[in-house]
Amino acid sequence: MYEDGTALLTIGALARLTGIPVKTIRNWSDQDLLPPAARTPAGYRLYGPGAPARLEIVRSLRDLGIGLAAIRSVLHRERTVAETAAQWADALDAQIRTLQLQRAVLRAVAARGSAAEELPNMTELARLSARERRRIITDFVEDALDGVHAPAYRSGLLAAVPDLPDDPTAEQIGAWTELAALVREPELRAALRRLAEYSARTGPVAGEAHAAGETDADPAGREQDAVRVAELMRLRGEEAVTAGLAPDSPAAEPVVAELVAAWLPTQAGIADPPAEDGPQARGRLLEQLETAAEPAVERYWQLLCTVTGRPVPPRWDTAGAWTAAALRAHPRPYELDRSAFDGTDPDRVMHAYVQVTRDVGALVAAVRPEDLDLPTPCAGWSVRQLLDHMVWENLMATSIAEDAPRGDHAADHLGDDHRAAFADSVRAALSAFTGSGMLHRTYGPYEAPGAMIVQQVVVELLAHGWDLARATGAPTGLAPEAAEETLAAARRIYGAAPRTEGSSFALERPAPPGAGAADRLAAYLGRDPV
């Protein structure tokens, strides 16, 4: 209260009453937010009894980030509090989006380990509007497909736009940055053009379905059927790889037949559609798979899904490679010869496994570190890769016996000690074979005897043991007590297996007179025993 007893407050008293610094009150007063009610004879400001409440309003609006000019409009009743709040909320939304974008860019830079030179480009790409991002993709698609008449394929590409959310994650910013770089790559443009040209050659023919007495008024349904079949192929291919089913083995034929049967209905309406499973159908499906095997295009769709927050499609490379190899190995249908499942004596199989792993284990133990890079008769495999595969064979059979098939075929199973890795895998396999009842059970949809699965492992280990002996200069006469039976088993199991390009086995080679059983096994499986 002023000293003359009036109800006016000095600026110091007002500061003590409200907790707002004198300097701040003076500034707000100068901005016409808190006009003084009077002045002392010396010129000092005095404020009326409503000043504390007015200051609280100003302070609250400032705490919400509202500017002084907007607050002045409210206090002077030029705008309502509601109107001002809505305006500033919109402004805050824009600021928040900017900050979220900045945070996502910084997180992406940190996660990707980006160099300083990449930062301006990432920031610029992240700031693009939705229309600008769409234009990048549209221009890319139109340029890649220029002159190709594939309207359905073009429409599908143009419909997939890279819409970033308002609050993108670092992963989405990183995916958009990679996608923007990918669409400038000639490899992707060429791959998309190849797919479009294939679509133009083999796509649905107008009126074809109606000429066949069908109604094809549901292209979306046809697309869904194609997606369903693709998913079936992916599942069956991955199951086969996980189960260690070679694409050129006789047991792969029923899988191929199932996939072709599911695929045939999706071809109605195309030019010259195959009517039934046979060489034409399998050749057409193989052509489609080989045409679609474009890693750059697969990456394009993965990035688009990541940018937009949609589920990323499962990788197709493993299943696609298996299915294509199985189609090449089985160009025409044939009945699975179940006689290959007969005549397997569990006791003899275990005896052969012990004999083969004993002799092959001795070879593995003699491999020196400097030998690991030596080439082997298995094309493209070094000694180390060969040993890793042999360990995998043991581990895979063990996992089947334990009803938990492994899926880590491409992992490193050898580690730093190849001798210990092989010995441990043999011990684990022996324990699983005898402790799980595997030798007297059947496995998989074709009820393959467990004893035959173990026998396949014996064939693999003896054949690859022969490869190892040749690579290291050791004698090849391995496991003479079991080699003859193993050769007979290989002929029974793989006798119907096609010997085609991409097969597990090359054409049988002649064995020299007097060759031992292991040498003859190698020759039967396509090695040169001379």
Side-chain angles (χ1 to χ4, degrees):
M1 183 177 294
Y2 190 47
E3 60 187 10
D4 66 357
T6 66
L8 299 179
L9 297 168
T10 65
I11 195 169
L14 186 57
R16 289 190 297 274
L17 186 63
T18 61
I20 299 174
V22 169
K23 183 178 180 181
T24 301
I25 296 175
R26 184 179 294 114
N27 178 52
W28 288 353
S29 188
D30 291 342
Q31 297 289 333
D32 198 23
L33 301 178
L34 186 69
R39 286 184 180 269
T40 68
Y44 294 108
R45 306 177 214 218
L46 296 174
Y47 297 92
R54 190 179 181 100
L55 272 180
E56 288 300 332
I57 293 173
V58 175
R59 176 160 59 182
S60 296
L61 293 173
R62 288 297 290 154
D63 287 345
L64 290 171
I66 297 178
L68 295 179
I71 295 174
R72 186 165 49 248
S73 296
V74 171
L75 295 175
H76 290 180
R77 301 185 183 282
E78 296 170 359
R79 295 176 65 89
T80 67
V81 172
E83 291 171 338
T84 302
Q87 177 186 6
W88 279 84
D90 290 342
L92 281 176
D93 284 342
Q95 185 179 4
I96 288 169
R97 285 194 294 271
T98 300
L99 290 173
Q100 289 171 334
L101 189 61
Q102 291 172 348
R103 180 186 62 189
V105 170
L106 291 171
R107 294 289 187 200
V109 168
R112 290 160 59 93
S114 303
E117 294 78 11
E118 297 178 83
L119 187 57
N121 183 55
M122 289 184 65
T123 304
E124 180 182 354
L125 287 171
R127 287 176 176 168
L128 293 176
S129 67
R131 176 179 294 180
E132 290 169 328
R133 288 193 299 272
R134 290 191 188 102
R135 174 53 57 189
I136 288 176
I137 299 302
T138 299
D139 289 348
F140 157 69
V141 171
E142 294 293 355
D143 179 61
L145 273 57
D146 183 39
V148 180
H149 182 68
Y153 188 73
R154 184 189 304 266
S155 297
L157 288 171
L158 293 176
V161 292
D163 287 334
L164 277 170
D166 290 338
D167 183 14
T169 65
E171 183 183 19
Q172 287 173 310
I173 291 294
W176 166 236
T177 302
E178 184 181 343
L179 179 63
L182 183 62
V183 297
R184 294 194 295 267
E185 293 294 330
E187 177 188 357
L188 176 60
R189 292 171 183 253
L192 277 184
R193 189 173 185 85
R194 286 192 294 270
L195 290 174
E197 290 171 342
Y198 183 80
S199 176
R201 292 195 310 271
T202 63
V205 177
E208 190 79 19
H210 297 289
E214 303 172 4
T215 57
D216 186 25
D218 185 18
R222 185 186 295 277
E223 179 68 19
Q224 291 174 357
D225 288 343
V227 171
R228 176 182 55 78
V229 172
E231 178 63 9
L232 177 65
M233 290 184 181
R234 184 186 67 80
L235 289 174
R236 292 293 183 265
E238 290 183 353
E239 288 171 356
V241 171
T242 299
L245 178 62
D248 54 358
S249 70
E253 161 58 26
V255 180
V256 173
E258 177 190 6
L259 297 181
V260 173
W263 167 82
L264 279 171
T266 68
Q267 302 306 291
I270 68 170
D272 189 26
E276 60 183 14
D277 189 357
Q280 181 196 7
R282 296 190 178 202
R284 178 76 64 86
L285 177 55
L286 176 60
E287 180 187 20
Q288 288 185 8
L289 291 177
E290 291 177 333
T291 302
E294 296 281 4
V297 176
E298 183 177 12
R299 185 59 180 159
Y300 174 82
W301 288 111
Q302 289 170 344
L303 291 171
L304 262 177
C305 289
T306 300
V307 168
T308 57
R310 295 194 296 269
V312 176
R315 292 184 63 88
W316 171 252
D317 48 358
T318 298
W322 186 93
T323 306
L327 285 164
R328 284 191 291 268
H330 305 280
R332 56 183 52 81
Y334 67 90
E335 291 294 327
L336 176 64
D337 182 6
R338 297 192 64 85
S339 66
F341 292 176
D342 301 331
T344 305
D345 183 337
D347 293 335
R348 297 301 304 171
V349 169
M350 280 304 300
H351 175 75
Y353 183 83
V354 170
Q355 297 296 314
V356 168
T357 54
R358 178 200 62 197
D359 285 12
V360 173
L363 282 178
V364 173
V367 172
R368 303 165 300 176
E370 57 267 31
D371 296 332
L372 293 174
D373 292 329
L374 293 174
T376 71
C378 280
W381 277 7
S382 66
V383 166
R384 191 184 200 288
Q385 291 168 314
L386 183 73
L387 293 175
D388 185 89
H389 178 74
M390 292 164 70
V391 170
W392 159 257
E393 289 288 344
N394 280 323
L395 296 177
M396 186 65 208
T398 300
S399 69
I400 292 174
E402 295 170 346
D403 295 316
R406 303 171 67 107
D408 59 344
H409 183 270
D412 176 14
H413 307 97
L414 213 56
D416 297 328
D417 189 342
H418 60 276
R419 301 178 182 90
F422 184 79
D424 290 346
S425 72
V426 171
R427 280 193 292 271
L430 280 170
S431 176
F433 295 162
T434 56
S436 67
M438 180 181 190
L439 296 169
H440 303 281
R441 295 171 57 193
T442 60
Y443 294 83
Y446 311 111
E447 298 184 347
M452 193 193 77
I453 295 175
V454 177
Q455 199 163 55
Q456 286 178 293
V457 177
V458 175
V459 173
E460 285 276 339
L461 291 179
L462 183 55
H464 290 312
W466 185 93
D467 294 330
L468 179 60
R470 288 295 295 266
T472 58
T476 59
L478 302 170
E481 298 177 36
E484 288 287 356
E485 291 183 24
T486 303
L487 172 59
R491 293 185 182 278
R492 184 176 70 254
I493 296 171
Y494 300 116
R499 305 293 181 104
T500 59
E501 181 183 356
S503 297
S504 298
F505 314 125
L507 293 175
E508 182 176 0
R509 306 290 290 271
D519 289 325
R520 284 183 280 124
L521 173 66
Y524 175 70
L525 298 178
R527 276 79 161 173
D528 184 359
V530 177

